Amino acid sequence: MGLSSSLVPVASALLLLCCFTARNAAANGNGGGGLRLNYYSEICPRAEQIVKEQVRSLYEEHGNTAVSWLRALFHDCTVKSCDASLLLETDAATGLVSEQASPRSFGMRNFKYVGAIKSALERECPGTVSCADLLALTARDGAAMLGGPAAIPMRTGRRDAMESQYGEVERYIPNHNDTVSAVLARFAAMGLDAEAVVALLGAHSVGRVHCNNLVARLYPAVDGGIEPAYGAYLRGRCPTADAREDTRDVAYARNDRATPMVLDNMYHKNLLKGRGLLLVDQRLASDPRTAPFVKKMAADNGYFGETFAAALVRMSENGPLTGGQGEVRKDCRFVNAK
């Protein structure tokens, strides 16, 4: 019996996920790090539904929250482990410095809404659902709200870190002007290949880029890799080479002018036209290791969505704390009191 059209993307994502997992099992234990689907089915049956409801409610009020969830998961998982260390706030009493204070975290926002989601979970099942799983599930549901894959098979069972990795953020998070080799190496450490990297960076189809990350491509002359008309537009958005990192009132440009709040393959289409905002994005279209995937995703949004779903799951399973490791924080901002 054939699959219904609504199930085809889900089945394809599962197939790709199996391939990613099998490919990396030897290097990463069992590929899922002890995680499993429906981890909370008995101990907090409504956990995933609560997260989904909260993500939807926040999206309807603040649409950019869905974009924030995707970036938050990337930043959390890329720095050693998917363990919600990103969410810990600076604590002068203990000397803990938040990862959010790193220059690599510039422009991240909406952390305050994590508390609303966590509070809803705590009311239902106190001390049960980890902040690390909250990040994974919000990214999954945020992608769906943005028109991306609608049923990503996200495993759960992560536990929360008890320390910040502030000192490691600069080393682990790729920079916007990195070489393709540097980016591929960083993702390879998480078990993700070039195809997965091109798919995950497709998240740049949504959201915006602050001018301080763009001016080097615009002044004193526009980067030759930028389409001339697009370069003129960007100079209009970023009219000065002196872009200060002011998180209160900062100039920016949308990643995608055509469908700015839709997670689709417009990112890849734009790269082929010389409309990549960040230098690392545009380089994907010319590097022989990534260019074929850029072209394939630009031509097939379904293929992009399937590959993105599988890659997101694989990234979300990078070195998770499980079992007796870490803790389940009651407040995602702070380590539990002893």
Side-chain angles (χ1 to χ4, degrees), residues 133-149:
D133 277 342
L134 182 157
L135 283 178
L137 294 172
T138 55
R140 179 193 69 181
D141 297 335
M145 294 306 302
L146 292 166

Side-chain angles (χ1 to χ4, degrees), residues 207-209 211 214 218-219 222 226-239 252-258 260 275 277:
R208 60 191 186 179
V209 173
C211 287
L214 297 177
L218 302 176
Y219 301 95
V222 176
I226 300 178
E227 178 193 56
Y230 191 57
Y233 158 75
L234 292 178
R235 277 194 161 196
R237 294 294 305 174
C238 305
Y252 66 88
R254 289 286 181 187
N255 282 323
D256 168 15
R257 297 171 66 191
R275 297 176 186 170
L277 271 184

Side-chain angles (χ1 to χ4, degrees), residues 280-302:
V280 68
D281 289 328
Q282 194 58 55
R283 284 172 170 165
L284 295 180
S286 57
D287 190 287
R289 294 165 294 182
T290 52
F293 300 116
V294 172
K295 293 176 182 177
K296 188 174 180 181
M297 291 182 197
D300 188 342
N301 190 56

Side-chain angles (χ1 to χ4, degrees), residues 327-338:
E327 65 180 10
V328 175
R329 286 184 224 139
K330 297 177 182 177
D331 184 327
C332 293
R333 301 172 298 170
F334 309 109
V335 174
N336 293 339
K338 300 301 182 183

Side-chain angles (χ1 to χ4, degrees), residues 40 118 128-134 158-160 327-328:
Y40 295 105
K118 179 61 170 172
T128 303
V129 182
S130 70
C131 300
D133 277 342
L134 182 157
R158 301 165 189 77
R159 288 172 65 84
D160 301 325
E327 65 180 10
V328 175

Side-chain angles (χ1 to χ4, degrees), residues 12-337:
S12 300
L14 282 167
L15 178 60
L16 282 165
L17 173 58
C18 290
C19 293
F20 281 136
T21 302
R23 188 182 307 161
N24 299 292
N28 299 283
N30 61 9
L35 308 179
R36 66 175 187 268
L37 293 174
N38 303 312
Y39 175 85
Y40 295 105
S41 60
E42 295 184 4
I43 57 176
C44 189
R46 293 196 66 251
E48 295 196 22
Q49 183 59 34
I50 288 172
V51 173
K52 186 172 295 186
E53 291 169 357
Q54 290 291 316
V55 167
R56 176 178 290 278
S57 176
L58 286 167
Y59 174 79
E60 290 173 349
E61 188 172 355
H62 310 284
N64 58 33
T65 53
V67 181
S68 296
W69 308 142
L70 288 171
R71 187 178 179 190
L73 184 66
F74 168 73
H75 275 250
D76 187 53
C77 291
T78 303
V79 183
K80 290 191 172 183
S81 169
C82 299
D83 57 10
S85 59
L86 171 69
L87 299 180
L88 288 170
E89 292 189 352
T90 295
D91 187 342
T94 63
L96 183 149
V97 180
S98 176
E99 293 172 26
Q100 298 170 35
S102 169
R104 285 286 197 276
S105 300
F106 173 69
M108 297 189 75
R109 54 184 177 163
N110 291 321
F111 288 112
K112 61 186 177 182
Y113 298 120
V114 170
I117 300 173
K118 179 61 170 172
S119 294
L121 290 167
E122 287 294 304
R123 288 193 294 271
E124 181 81 8
C125 309
T128 303
V129 182
S130 70
C131 300
D133 277 342
L134 182 157
L135 283 178
L137 294 172
T138 55
R140 179 193 69 181
D141 297 335
M145 294 306 302
L146 292 166
I152 299 176
M154 189 70 72
R155 287 190 275 257
T156 44
R158 301 165 189 77
R159 288 172 65 84
D160 301 325
M162 300 171 69
E163 60 183 7
S164 167
Q165 297 293 338
Y166 170 78
E168 302 290 338
V169 175
E170 293 283 322
R171 184 159 69 95
Y172 279 86
I173 300 292
N175 199 4
H176 60 86
N177 58 1
D178 272 345
T179 64
V180 173
S181 291
V183 173
L184 291 179
R186 181 64 255 144
F187 279 92
M190 295 189 285
L192 293 157
D193 61 14
E195 180 185 34
V197 171
V198 174
L200 283 174
L201 289 183
H204 288 174
S205 174
V206 293
R208 60 191 186 179
V209 173
H210 294 104
C211 287
N212 67 290
N213 289 327
L214 297 177
V215 291
R217 299 192 71 201
L218 302 176
Y219 301 95
V222 176
D223 185 327
I226 300 178
E227 178 193 56
Y230 191 57
Y233 158 75
L234 292 178
R235 277 194 161 196
R237 294 294 305 174
C238 305
T240 173
D242 180 26
R244 294 174 298 170
E245 294 189 4
D246 182 349
T247 57
R248 293 163 298 178
D249 183 18
V250 68
Y252 66 88
R254 289 286 181 187
N255 282 323
D256 168 15
R257 297 171 66 191
T259 56
M261 290 298 289
V262 179
L263 181 60
D264 57 13
N265 65 341
M266 191 59 70
Y267 165 82
H268 304 92
K269 292 180 179 179
N270 283 334
L271 295 186
L272 296 180
K273 297 176 181 178
R275 297 176 186 170
L277 271 184
L278 299 176
L279 183 57
V280 68
D281 289 328
Q282 194 58 55
R283 284 172 170 165
L284 295 180
S286 57
D287 190 287
R289 294 165 294 182
T290 52
F293 300 116
V294 172
K295 293 176 182 177
K296 188 174 180 181
M297 291 182 197
D300 188 342
N301 190 56
Y303 163 65
F304 159 64
E306 293 159 7
T307 311
F308 178 87
L312 187 72
V313 172
R314 180 70 204 109
M315 182 181 73
S316 78
E317 297 179 354
N318 181 44
L321 302 180
T322 57
Q325 299 174 305
E327 65 180 10
V328 175
R329 286 184 224 139
K330 297 177 182 177
D331 184 327
C332 293
R333 301 172 298 170
F334 309 109
V335 174
N336 293 339

